Amino acid sequence: MQTVLTYLTLLFTGMMMTAQSSVTITITDLNSNNGKLMIGLYDSEKNFLNTRFKGAMETIENHTATYTFTDVPVGEYAISTFHDENDNQVFDMRFGVIPKEDYVTSNNAKGFFGPPAWDDAKFIVKDAPITIALKMND
């Protein structure tokens, strides 16, 4: 029994010691205060723009929105946001390929005839909080 308790204590301590941080994102220059800002935090190239590690909806005030993701483990991440101006929680597209709503990704990464690449959008989270500022219509 003592061995099991020791093992569980070590396992729990190791889990608690895993470095985590926070990522605060501020998006400015939105066209309006209508709708919400949809924010996705992605943790791998495989998941980028498909499966969010964490996601959020944030209200817009004075054409600006700010959100903080907490408990983010150390690693590589990318952010993608879009202004859901009609508040339908969908990234609306024209003809299925042309965005109808404004969007921006971390590092202001832009795609060429398609979405931005992970390598252009990724950033590193270390054990200190980071802040990312982006302009929606830049």
Side-chain angles (χ1 to χ4, degrees), residues 33-102:
N33 293 324
N34 298 335
K36 301 232 178 4
L37 185 70
M38 306 296 282
I39 309 166
L41 179 66
Y42 300 88
D43 62 353
S44 70
E45 182 173 12
K46 176 184 152 203
N47 292 336
F48 186 48
L49 303 178
N50 294 313
T51 305
R52 291 181 306 272
F53 171 66
K54 293 187 177 211
M57 285 188 300
E58 191 56 47
T59 58
I60 301 164
E61 293 181 23
N62 299 319
H63 304 273
T64 300
T66 299
Y67 185 81
T68 300
F69 290 104
T70 58
D71 301 322
V72 178
V74 169
E76 286 186 335
Y77 295 89
I79 290 175
S80 180
T81 70
F82 71 92
H83 183 184
D84 186 18
E85 203 162 4
N86 62 2
D87 213 6
N88 67 351
Q89 299 181 12
V90 174
F91 185 40
D92 296 320
M93 306 283 274
R94 288 183 185 98
F95 310 112
V97 294
I98 301 168
K100 287 174 72 172
E101 297 175 307
D102 292 336

